[in-house]
Amino acid sequence: MKPVIIGHAKLYHMDCMDLLRATPDKYFGLACVDPPYGIGMAGGKVGNSRVDYRKFAGNDLSIPDAEYFSEPRRVSVNQIIWGANYMTDHLPPSPCFIVWDKVQPAEFSMAMAEYAWASFDSPAKIFRQRVVGANKWRIHPTEKPIRLYEFLLTHYAKPGQRILDTHLGSGSSAIAANNFGFDFTGIELDKDYFDAACERIENAYRQQRMFP
Ligand SMILES: C[S@@+](CC[C@H](N)C(=O)[O-])C[C@H]1O[C@@H](n2cnc3c(N)ncnc32)[C@H](O)[C@@H]1O
């Protein structure tokens, strides 16, 4: 399968398992992944959004199966796995975890924070940034901020490492990797979201070249 290449990012429209099975051991320095959480966050209205999102592949009805969890750990030196609170059966104990604090009041209708398991032997960290209010700039129902991925790359990736995101979604991770010059591989199963992510990543990369 030929990737779409934008800047330092190679983007694949396919099932991540097919690419993972063909990847050599420890090929990536960091796998920073955000698989479906199995909570039905698949589309429609999200929070106070005015946007009606399309359902995406898998419909977020279940987390990936056991084989998925062994693959990122085989193909990468270190891993950050979002939604880890839904995946505890598949993840070993680790001193390191990362919280995205969405800086919302307790009345907020969605989760006020998200949790990532991390393979590092280092203390927990918190990233604080509000979610985009009315979502009108979002292209995906579970889109994470670009700055969250920049924070992760700053603290957990080493210069020259290859970065992997097995569940690209909106492409925020690819934009952050391009901003920092990391060689990046992203995979997305859903054709509509893949195309929308490519357009968003291309626009961000063009902006970056115009206003470096
Ligand atoms: C939780 S979302 C990722 C959101 C992303 N972190 C962002 O910031 O936009 C999970 C994504 O994985 C995609 N997906 C589900 N199963 C997949 C698979 N087997 N391979 C690749 N992508 C998959 C879904 O279509 C969805 O877009």
Side-chain angles (χ1 to χ4, degrees):
M1 157 86 53
K2 270 194 149 186
V4 173
I5 298 180
I6 303 171
H8 304 273
K10 290 189 211 66
L11 308 167
Y12 293 87
H13 167 229
M14 63 190 292
D15 188 324
C16 64
M17 289 309 299
D18 293 333
L19 195 109
L20 287 170
R21 288 185 196 113
T23 302
D25 291 358
K26 306 299 174 204
Y27 180 77
F28 296 98
L30 177 66
C32 183
V33 302
D34 189 17
Y37 300 177
I39 55 172
M41 278 279 291
K45 298 271 185 203
V46 175
N48 63 353
S49 171
R50 290 196 291 268
V51 182
D52 212 355
Y53 295 103
R54 238 193 86 264
K55 285 201 183 306
F56 51 71
N59 291 339
D60 197 26
L61 296 178
S62 58
I63 62 169
D65 61 21
E67 188 193 358
Y68 170 78
F69 289 95
S70 58
E71 281 299 79
R73 280 150 61 195
R74 180 184 65 76
V75 303
S76 64
V77 178
N78 277 298
Q79 306 82 37
I80 295 171
I81 302 181
W82 286 100
N85 41 319
Y86 298 104
M87 303 163 192
T88 48
D89 287 353
H90 297 283
L91 298 169
S94 172
C96 186
F97 63 91
I98 302 156
V99 171
W100 168 28
D101 173 359
K102 299 178 183 175
V103 196
Q104 295 293 325
E107 296 71 33
F108 187 50
S109 61
M110 312 287 292
M112 291 168 66
E114 291 201 26
Y115 169 77
W117 177 94
S119 63
F120 296 86
D121 186 14
S122 57
K125 286 199 191 302
I126 299 178
F127 172 82
R128 292 193 176 86
Q129 182 177 310
R130 288 179 75 88
V131 282
V132 178
N135 299 329
K136 70 177 181 181
W137 304 112
R138 297 192 345 187
I139 63 163
H140 192 286
T142 65
E143 185 170 322
K144 288 190 161 54
I146 296 164
R147 282 191 51 213
L148 169 62
Y149 286 104
E150 290 182 340
F151 172 87
L152 299 175
L153 293 173
T154 300
H155 291 282
Y156 298 105
K158 295 192 185 121
Q161 281 188 327
R162 299 187 189 102
I163 311 298
L164 169 69
D165 184 351
T166 52
H167 294 78
L168 184 68
S170 66
S172 295
S173 53
I175 295 171
N178 264 343
N179 288 347
F180 286 177
F182 279 102
D183 186 288
F184 175 91
T185 295
I187 316 164
E188 170 58 49
L189 185 59
D190 184 293
K191 175 72 174 137
D192 290 342
Y193 280 122
F194 179 77
D195 290 345
C198 287
E199 189 182 334
R200 180 169 177 249
I201 296 161
E202 177 68 49
N203 287 340
Y205 186 61
R206 212 176 296 134
Q207 286 277 326
Q208 187 210 32
R209 276 178 300 167
M210 273 195 286
F211 308 104

mmCIF file of all heavy atoms in Angstrom, residues 88-105:
data_model
loop_
_atom_site.group_PDB
_atom_site.id
_atom_site.type_symbol
_atom_site.label_atom_id
_atom_site.label_comp_id
_atom_site.label_asym_id
_atom_site.label_seq_id
_atom_site.Cartn_x
_atom_site.Cartn_y
_atom_site.Cartn_z
ATOM 1 N N THR A 88 -7.081 -1.713 30.712
ATOM 2 C CA THR A 88 -6.163 -2.129 31.775
ATOM 3 C C THR A 88 -5.793 -3.617 31.681
ATOM 4 O O THR A 88 -4.690 -3.996 32.059
ATOM 5 C CB THR A 88 -6.778 -1.845 33.162
ATOM 6 O OG1 THR A 88 -8.108 -2.331 33.160
ATOM 7 C CG2 THR A 88 -6.792 -0.364 33.479
ATOM 8 N N ASP A 89 -6.707 -4.444 31.148
ATOM 9 C CA ASP A 89 -6.397 -5.884 31.045
ATOM 10 C C ASP A 89 -5.208 -6.144 30.120
ATOM 11 O O ASP A 89 -4.576 -7.194 30.191
ATOM 12 C CB ASP A 89 -7.591 -6.654 30.460
ATOM 13 C CG ASP A 89 -8.705 -6.772 31.477
ATOM 14 O OD1 ASP A 89 -8.478 -6.380 32.639
ATOM 15 O OD2 ASP A 89 -9.793 -7.231 31.098
ATOM 16 N N HIS A 90 -4.928 -5.199 29.220
ATOM 17 C CA HIS A 90 -3.902 -5.432 28.196
ATOM 18 C C HIS A 90 -2.584 -4.724 28.497
ATOM 19 O O HIS A 90 -1.649 -4.833 27.716
ATOM 20 C CB HIS A 90 -4.410 -4.941 26.833
ATOM 21 C CG HIS A 90 -5.618 -5.680 26.365
ATOM 22 N ND1 HIS A 90 -5.551 -6.949 25.839
ATOM 23 C CD2 HIS A 90 -6.930 -5.343 26.372
ATOM 24 C CE1 HIS A 90 -6.770 -7.355 25.526
ATOM 25 N NE2 HIS A 90 -7.623 -6.400 25.839
ATOM 26 N N LEU A 91 -2.528 -3.964 29.601
ATOM 27 C CA LEU A 91 -1.337 -3.129 29.835
ATOM 28 C C LEU A 91 -0.696 -3.478 31.169
ATOM 29 O O LEU A 91 -1.388 -3.564 32.192
ATOM 30 C CB LEU A 91 -1.743 -1.649 29.808
ATOM 31 C CG LEU A 91 -2.326 -1.189 28.471
ATOM 32 C CD1 LEU A 91 -2.956 0.207 28.588
ATOM 33 C CD2 LEU A 91 -1.248 -1.183 27.394
ATOM 34 N N PRO A 92 0.635 -3.656 31.198
ATOM 35 C CA PRO A 92 1.305 -3.984 32.453
ATOM 36 C C PRO A 92 1.402 -2.747 33.358
ATOM 37 O O PRO A 92 1.260 -1.613 32.884
ATOM 38 C CB PRO A 92 2.701 -4.416 31.992
ATOM 39 C CG PRO A 92 2.912 -3.719 30.699
ATOM 40 C CD PRO A 92 1.567 -3.569 30.061
ATOM 41 N N PRO A 93 1.689 -2.938 34.652
ATOM 42 C CA PRO A 93 1.883 -1.784 35.529
ATOM 43 C C PRO A 93 3.026 -0.915 35.017
ATOM 44 O O PRO A 93 4.001 -1.422 34.459
ATOM 45 C CB PRO A 93 2.261 -2.411 36.874
ATOM 46 C CG PRO A 93 1.809 -3.831 36.786
ATOM 47 C CD PRO A 93 1.865 -4.213 35.340
ATOM 48 N N SER A 94 2.899 0.397 35.174
ATOM 49 C CA SER A 94 3.973 1.315 34.762
ATOM 50 C C SER A 94 3.957 2.514 35.697
ATOM 51 O O SER A 94 2.881 2.993 36.076
ATOM 52 C CB SER A 94 3.746 1.783 33.320
ATOM 53 O OG SER A 94 4.669 2.801 33.010
ATOM 54 N N PRO A 95 5.137 3.022 36.056
ATOM 55 C CA PRO A 95 5.149 4.213 36.917
ATOM 56 C C PRO A 95 4.671 5.454 36.167
ATOM 57 O O PRO A 95 4.289 6.452 36.767
ATOM 58 C CB PRO A 95 6.631 4.367 37.301
ATOM 59 C CG PRO A 95 7.375 3.660 36.206
ATOM 60 C CD PRO A 95 6.483 2.549 35.727
ATOM 61 N N CYS A 96 4.696 5.391 34.848
ATOM 62 C CA CYS A 96 4.468 6.609 34.063
ATOM 63 C C CYS A 96 3.059 6.608 33.470
ATOM 64 O O CYS A 96 2.628 5.625 32.867
ATOM 65 C CB CYS A 96 5.491 6.680 32.934
ATOM 66 S SG CYS A 96 5.413 8.221 32.031
ATOM 67 N N PHE A 97 2.352 7.715 33.663
ATOM 68 C CA PHE A 97 1.109 7.928 32.930
ATOM 69 C C PHE A 97 0.962 9.415 32.657
ATOM 70 O O PHE A 97 1.642 10.255 33.265
ATOM 71 C CB PHE A 97 -0.106 7.351 33.673
ATOM 72 C CG PHE A 97 -0.389 7.970 35.010
ATOM 73 C CD1 PHE A 97 -1.242 9.060 35.133
ATOM 74 C CD2 PHE A 97 0.211 7.468 36.159
ATOM 75 C CE1 PHE A 97 -1.510 9.622 36.374
ATOM 76 C CE2 PHE A 97 -0.046 8.020 37.400
ATOM 77 C CZ PHE A 97 -0.915 9.101 37.513
ATOM 78 N N ILE A 98 0.107 9.728 31.713
ATOM 79 C CA ILE A 98 -0.051 11.124 31.275
ATOM 80 C C ILE A 98 -1.540 11.448 31.293
ATOM 81 O O ILE A 98 -2.366 10.627 30.862
ATOM 82 C CB ILE A 98 0.515 11.292 29.843
ATOM 83 C CG1 ILE A 98 1.995 10.888 29.816
ATOM 84 C CG2 ILE A 98 0.351 12.737 29.361
ATOM 85 C CD1 ILE A 98 2.503 10.461 28.465
ATOM 86 N N VAL A 99 -1.849 12.624 31.808
ATOM 87 C CA VAL A 99 -3.242 13.061 31.868
ATOM 88 C C VAL A 99 -3.402 14.314 31.017
ATOM 89 O O VAL A 99 -2.587 15.239 31.103
ATOM 90 C CB VAL A 99 -3.652 13.366 33.330
ATOM 91 C CG1 VAL A 99 -5.027 14.028 33.392
ATOM 92 C CG2 VAL A 99 -3.637 12.082 34.154
ATOM 93 N N TRP A 100 -4.405 14.322 30.176
ATOM 94 C CA TRP A 100 -4.810 15.561 29.499
ATOM 95 C C TRP A 100 -5.984 16.123 30.294
ATOM 96 O O TRP A 100 -7.071 15.585 30.273
ATOM 97 C CB TRP A 100 -5.213 15.298 28.055
ATOM 98 C CG TRP A 100 -5.909 16.460 27.392
ATOM 99 C CD1 TRP A 100 -5.760 17.797 27.693
ATOM 100 C CD2 TRP A 100 -6.884 16.402 26.349
ATOM 101 N NE1 TRP A 100 -6.569 18.564 26.889
ATOM 102 C CE2 TRP A 100 -7.269 17.737 26.057
ATOM 103 C CE3 TRP A 100 -7.457 15.358 25.630
ATOM 104 C CZ2 TRP A 100 -8.219 18.041 25.073
ATOM 105 C CZ3 TRP A 100 -8.394 15.664 24.647
ATOM 106 C CH2 TRP A 100 -8.762 16.984 24.369
ATOM 107 N N ASP A 101 -5.706 17.223 31.018
ATOM 108 C CA ASP A 101 -6.726 17.931 31.791
ATOM 109 C C ASP A 101 -7.388 18.940 30.853
ATOM 110 O O ASP A 101 -6.730 19.871 30.373
ATOM 111 C CB ASP A 101 -6.035 18.635 32.967
ATOM 112 C CG ASP A 101 -6.967 19.547 33.741
ATOM 113 O OD1 ASP A 101 -8.152 19.660 33.374
ATOM 114 O OD2 ASP A 101 -6.490 20.163 34.714
ATOM 115 N N LYS A 102 -8.672 18.758 30.605
ATOM 116 C CA LYS A 102 -9.375 19.612 29.640
ATOM 117 C C LYS A 102 -9.824 20.944 30.244
ATOM 118 O O LYS A 102 -10.484 21.742 29.565
ATOM 119 C CB LYS A 102 -10.565 18.858 29.069
ATOM 120 C CG LYS A 102 -10.165 17.585 28.328
ATOM 121 C CD LYS A 102 -11.369 16.840 27.812
ATOM 122 C CE LYS A 102 -10.939 15.540 27.142
ATOM 123 N NZ LYS A 102 -12.083 14.720 26.723
ATOM 124 N N VAL A 103 -9.450 21.156 31.515
ATOM 125 C CA VAL A 103 -9.713 22.428 32.211
ATOM 126 C C VAL A 103 -11.192 22.811 32.063
ATOM 127 O O VAL A 103 -11.531 23.872 31.525
ATOM 128 C CB VAL A 103 -8.786 23.558 31.704
ATOM 129 C CG1 VAL A 103 -8.790 24.733 32.692
ATOM 130 C CG2 VAL A 103 -7.361 23.072 31.463
ATOM 131 N N GLN A 104 -12.047 21.932 32.533
ATOM 132 C CA GLN A 104 -13.492 22.140 32.431
ATOM 133 C C GLN A 104 -14.114 22.093 33.818
ATOM 134 O O GLN A 104 -13.579 21.434 34.718
ATOM 135 C CB GLN A 104 -14.115 21.026 31.572
ATOM 136 C CG GLN A 104 -13.659 21.024 30.132
ATOM 137 C CD GLN A 104 -14.154 22.239 29.369
ATOM 138 O OE1 GLN A 104 -15.261 22.722 29.604
ATOM 139 N NE2 GLN A 104 -13.335 22.735 28.468
ATOM 140 N N PRO A 105 -15.249 22.769 34.005
ATOM 141 C CA PRO A 105 -15.948 22.687 35.297
ATOM 142 C C PRO A 105 -16.550 21.287 35.483
ATOM 143 O O PRO A 105 -16.742 20.551 34.512
ATOM 144 C CB PRO A 105 -17.063 23.736 35.151
ATOM 145 C CG PRO A 105 -17.265 23.875 33.685
ATOM 146 C CD PRO A 105 -15.943 23.601 33.030
#
